[in-house]
Amino acid sequence: ATLYVALNVPAPADGLKRGNTWGADDGAEVCFRDLSGRAPGPVFVLHGFAGGASESVTDAGAPAEAAIRLGKAVRFTAAVAGGQWTCTWSIPLAQAGLKPAPGLKLGFNLGVRRAATDEWICWAGTLAQNWQLGRAGVVVLD
């Protein structure tokens, strides 16, 4: 199974920094981990940038091999038009070692970096990095 995530981020095209440096350029991130077992799984963090680049990082402690495998399998797109930039991720959950099934519970968060206004915007405020999923949201698959 594949997890699909899409974001629309209002932003003037001429104010976007379209590089691929997290924290300096305009970007968004998806953070998730398996919460279905007795102990939470590793936290995976995917960055996508307004310029179209993407990366899977180990900032939250995901094993390097697993993060690389996931990063190679993820499909990311970004486009800028009409006063916003949009992005989509197609995330094959099996590549993160998850067994997708109805009821699969994921610790989950989304974050956006707006470089021009020096803003960090998130789905669930953690008072820390977006990947601090103990303070974020939960998604349950149907």
Side-chain angles (χ1 to χ4, degrees):
T2 302
L3 177 65
Y4 296 98
V5 178
L7 289 172
N8 296 319
V9 183
D14 61 349
L16 288 175
K17 289 188 178 180
R18 299 185 196 202
N20 59 357
T21 301
W22 186 249
D25 297 310
D26 284 274
E29 68 181 345
V30 174
C31 312
F32 66 94
R33 72 174 169 191
D34 187 357
L35 293 179
S36 297
R38 297 180 88 183
V43 177
F44 289 91
V45 178
L46 302 170
H47 293 158
F49 300 91
S54 69
E55 61 186 2
S56 176
V57 299
T58 58
D59 299 0
E65 286 182 19
I68 291 168
R69 182 177 57 248
L70 180 62
K72 288 180 180 178
V74 165
R75 297 294 166 247
F76 176 79
T77 63
V80 179
Q84 68 180 4
W85 73 277
T86 61
C87 62
T88 61
W89 283 270
S90 297
I91 306 166
L93 294 175
Q95 296 302 316
L98 282 77
K99 293 181 174 50
L104 176 67
K105 210 162 137 178
L106 298 176
F108 188 84
N109 208 357
L110 298 172
V112 171
R113 171 67 175 154
R114 279 194 184 147
T117 54
D118 194 25
E119 291 179 282
W120 294 92
I121 302 163
C122 55
W123 178 60
T126 66
L127 301 177
Q129 297 91 344
N130 291 322
W131 49 260
Q132 296 287 342
L133 297 179
R135 301 182 209 154
V138 174
V139 172
V140 180
L141 301 185
D142 283 339

